[in-house]
Amino acid sequence: MKRKSKALSCAVALTMSMALLLSGCGGSGSSGGDVSGEDTGAVKDELHIAISANPPSLDPQSINSNIVGGIGAHVYEPLFAMNAEYEPTPVLAESYEVSDDGMVYTIKLRQGVKFHNGEEMTADDVVASMNRWLEVSAKANTLIGGSTFEKVDDYTVNLNVNQASSDIIMILASPIQAAAIYPAEVVESATAEGISEYIGTGPYQVSEWKQDQYVKLEAYEDYQPSEGESSGLAGEKGAATPTLYFDVVTDASTRIAGVQSGEYDIAEEIPLDNYEELSGDTNLTLNVDRGGTLNLFLDTTEGIMANQTFRQAVLAALNCDDIMLAAYGNPDLYEINASWSDPTDAQWGTDAGSEYYNQQDTDKAKELLEEAGYNGETVVLVTTQDYPEMYNATLVVQEELKQAGINAEVETYDFSTFMEHRADPNQFDMFITSNSYNMLPIQLSVLDSGWAGLNAPEVTEGIQAIRSASSDEEAAEAWADLQTFLYEYGAATVLGHYTGVIAMDSGVQGYDYLRFPIYWNVTASE
């Protein structure tokens, strides 16, 4: 028997809760307006988006960068992409079937799709692109390295996987180091530095790239969107504004001044310190989108930290509301939730283990310390002032641990030295970092023994259970079990979910977000 998956369509925007979005924002919240657009009169032919850094490449297959991925999503398309509910949805694929043993995925391709050079996409392009992606994408190589794509006919390819797993299509749909499809000749001419021609099948084509100044994209007239309503990175893509400029503006104050003056329609990466100021500007809309989690990692290998009961005492003492408020300064900019994944993720969002999260129970912490035989040993929290949210959160954690009776000290370093200490369990007891969301929980840093020293058989077994699950439901259950273990073991805890702020002119309509800002349905009033 074969299992067959078809496209799922959804018009659900990836947003924070309504309370999070509406409080303090100078506009309509996380969405800049209806994707369908409102009748606001004349609209601009050009959209200027101020970005915070020069893209190191326009080759999303090989570069793990939000800026590269965000621009690239408008130019290139994959076989599958995430919709607004984080469901992998066919884009350049039409459908797929899986063999009974789970080792072969037969993928039917859409016909008549044209690259920006006017040539039709066929299996030769897909095979060349995907086999290169398996080599140059570190995430793909780690998870499905050794798998291969092969041509069946002009509009059919086979993916022969290295092991049967329920997450194969999810991996293909991951937007970071995306499995972008290029013409075969672009792949063949690529060097170790990347591709030299920027040709995809997306709604926009690369018109000009001036290093350190801008990337200019223009609407591709022969673009053929996949079926279904616009949803996340899948469905209809309209190229509503003919020309997009991604203007490189590294100075945050210049980005802010530019969006206030109208030089830029949108400014990305707004510092949280400017949120209150800009939220009062009625000419702007502030969009607050989930970015990831702020996490406390605990050494599980050395001294008193190797005592699980002691680590549980640490978790019992934490008041995550106070920690996140100190880190981000405004309740509109964070959410308290135990999930290690985005809580809105249909498959991976879970509150499993939440009984160990945000306990705010000093008395329980003191009881656990006595049970652990704690004798006042010094516990060192390493941090850096280079990231104020991490530093401020660390100071609050220190105070909460002291209130529970733990002799907590803070050691502060520049970022590079902090990273050296963080990487060696002999040089830290705890540390706080922020981590962006991953499409798959098996990609989380907390599960990497090289990150904070966690090396437990339950982690290996949990990852294998997720990867070998026979269904999405079974994989989700396995992840919930593994997340529960992380909390029970006291290896680490989510402190809260942080957000990113984007400022845009109030006349901007159609904005959406899924891991990246999405601009193909955006218009801006004259």
Side-chain angles (χ1 to χ4, degrees), residues 299-332:
D299 177 20
T300 59
T301 65
E302 303 286 334
I304 190 64
M305 296 302 301
N307 186 311
Q308 182 176 350
T309 304
F310 176 82
R311 299 195 301 271
Q312 280 300 329
V314 171
L315 267 58
L318 300 179
N319 182 328
C320 294
D321 299 271
D322 288 347
I323 296 167
M324 292 298 288
L325 183 61
Y328 296 103
N330 188 314
D332 294 340

Side-chain angles (χ1 to χ4, degrees), residues 297-301 422-425 428 431 445-446 448-455 491-492:
F297 295 91
L298 291 77
D299 177 20
T300 59
T301 65
R422 179 213 61 73
D424 182 1
F428 77 86
F431 66 87
S445 297
V446 67
D448 182 353
S449 62
W451 179 256
L454 176 61
N455 187 12

Side-chain angles (χ1 to χ4, degrees), residues 61-62 129-138 140-141 145 147:
Q61 282 194 357
S62 62
S129 297
M130 296 304 291
N131 283 333
R132 176 183 185 263
W133 173 72
L134 287 167
E135 293 180 2
V136 301
S137 167
N141 195 269
S147 303

Side-chain angles (χ1 to χ4, degrees), residues 131-197:
N131 283 333
R132 176 183 185 263
W133 173 72
L134 287 167
E135 293 180 2
V136 301
S137 167
K139 292 180 181 290
N141 195 269
T142 296
L143 294 174
I144 56 173
S147 303
T148 58
F149 280 81
E150 63 181 11
K151 178 180 177 179
V152 177
D153 59 43
D154 282 347
Y155 301 105
T156 310
V157 299
N158 278 346
L159 166 59
N160 304 294
V161 298
N162 59 344
Q163 70 174 78
S165 176
S166 63
D167 58 17
I168 298 299
I169 299 300
M170 183 76 76
I171 293 170
L172 298 186
S174 178
I176 291 293
Q177 289 193 277
I181 302 302
Y182 310 135
E185 57 267 28
V186 169
V187 176
E188 292 163 3
S189 64
T191 65
E193 286 69 42
I195 60 174
S196 57
E197 294 181 274

Side-chain angles (χ1 to χ4, degrees), residues 283-495:
N283 294 317
L284 298 178
T285 297
L286 298 187
N287 292 272
V288 182
D289 297 293
R290 296 182 192 273
T293 53
L294 188 70
N295 307 313
L296 174 68
F297 295 91
L298 291 77
D299 177 20
T300 59
T301 65
E302 303 286 334
I304 190 64
M305 296 302 301
N307 186 311
Q308 182 176 350
T309 304
F310 176 82
R311 299 195 301 271
Q312 280 300 329
V314 171
L315 267 58
L318 300 179
N319 182 328
C320 294
D321 299 271
D322 288 347
I323 296 167
M324 292 298 288
L325 183 61
Y328 296 103
N330 188 314
D332 294 340
L333 301 178
Y334 62 83
E335 180 181 357
I336 301 299
N337 191 292
S339 178
W340 276 88
S341 298
D342 188 327
T344 66
D345 189 315
Q347 182 170 7
W348 306 117
T350 176
D351 64 355
S354 58
E355 61 267 32
Y356 301 98
Y357 173 71
N358 194 27
Q359 297 177 64
Q360 307 181 29
D361 195 336
T362 302
D363 291 338
K364 177 182 177 181
K366 290 179 178 179
E367 292 174 3
L368 289 170
L369 289 176
E370 184 175 354
E371 182 182 339
Y374 176 63
N375 293 314
E377 294 93 333
T378 300
V379 173
V380 176
L381 292 84
V382 297
T383 189
T384 176
Q385 294 190 48
D386 291 346
Y387 285 82
E389 71 277 11
M390 291 160 48
Y391 177 74
N392 293 336
T394 301
L395 295 183
V396 176
V397 170
Q398 178 193 28
E399 183 59 30
E400 292 176 355
L401 296 183
K402 283 184 173 182
Q403 290 176 7
I406 296 174
N407 182 17
E409 293 186 359
V410 171
E411 294 181 359
T412 306
Y413 304 97
D414 63 81
F415 183 66
S416 61
T417 306
F418 162 75
M419 291 296 286
E420 293 174 4
H421 281 256
R422 179 213 61 73
D424 182 1
N426 290 309
Q427 299 188 65
F428 77 86
D429 292 312
M430 289 177 256
F431 66 87
I432 291 174
T433 62
S434 57
N435 297 93
S436 297
Y437 290 130
N438 287 278
M439 295 297 100
L440 295 166
I442 56 177
Q443 298 170 313
L444 287 167
S445 297
V446 67
L447 303 179
D448 182 353
S449 62
W451 179 256
L454 176 61
N455 187 12
E458 290 87 349
V459 173
T460 303
E461 293 164 3
I463 291 173
Q464 182 58 30
I466 294 168
R467 298 220 61 214
S468 62
S470 60
S471 67
D472 288 348
E473 292 75 17
E474 184 179 325
E477 291 175 5
W479 164 238
D481 290 342
L482 183 51
Q483 178 171 294
T484 299
F485 167 77
L486 294 174
Y487 279 112
E488 287 180 342
Y489 194 63
T493 180
V494 169
L495 298 172

Side-chain angles (χ1 to χ4, degrees), residues 214-238:
Y214 60 79
V215 177
K216 179 182 179 182
L217 307 184
E218 293 186 340
Y220 179 45
E221 293 183 357
D222 291 330
Y223 175 65
Q224 298 177 18
S226 56
E227 295 181 357
E229 296 179 358
S230 182
S231 178
L233 295 168
E236 184 177 357
K237 304 169 188 176

Side-chain angles (χ1 to χ4, degrees), residues 105-148:
Y105 286 68
T106 299
I107 302 171
K108 292 289 186 181
L109 307 176
R110 289 171 52 208
Q111 299 186 27
V113 175
K114 291 185 177 181
F115 287 109
H116 300 151
N117 60 7
E119 297 177 2
E120 185 183 10
M121 179 197 74
T122 67
D124 291 327
D125 305 299
V126 172
V127 169
S129 297
M130 296 304 291
N131 283 333
R132 176 183 185 263
W133 173 72
L134 287 167
E135 293 180 2
V136 301
S137 167
K139 292 180 181 290
N141 195 269
T142 296
L143 294 174
I144 56 173
S147 303
T148 58

